[in-house]
């Protein structure tokens, strides 16, 4: 939950654990791409 909050994932309080994990993975991938300039 803390990681989701840091990544500012909306709707995190209503997500199941698997949904949160998936959302965190997607947000991390997006964040990494932005920081690399992709």
């Amino acid at each position: 939950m803390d990681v989701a909050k840091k990544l500012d994932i909306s709707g995190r309080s209503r997500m199941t654990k698997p949904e949160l994990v998936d959302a965190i993975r997607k947000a991390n991938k997006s964040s990494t791409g932005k920081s690399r300039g992709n």
Side-chain angles (χ1 to χ4, degrees):
M1 207 51 150
D2 292 336
V3 174
K5 189 175 183 179
K6 286 180 186 176
L7 291 170
D8 196 32
I9 297 172
S10 60
R12 63 187 175 269
S13 63
R14 294 182 305 274
M15 291 182 182
T16 63
K17 190 171 182 177
E19 288 172 330
L20 264 177
V21 169
D22 190 45
I24 289 168
R25 282 189 183 133
K26 286 179 184 175
N28 269 333
K29 188 174 184 181
S30 173
S31 175
T32 301
K34 286 179 187 174
S35 69
R36 290 183 179 167
N38 293 335

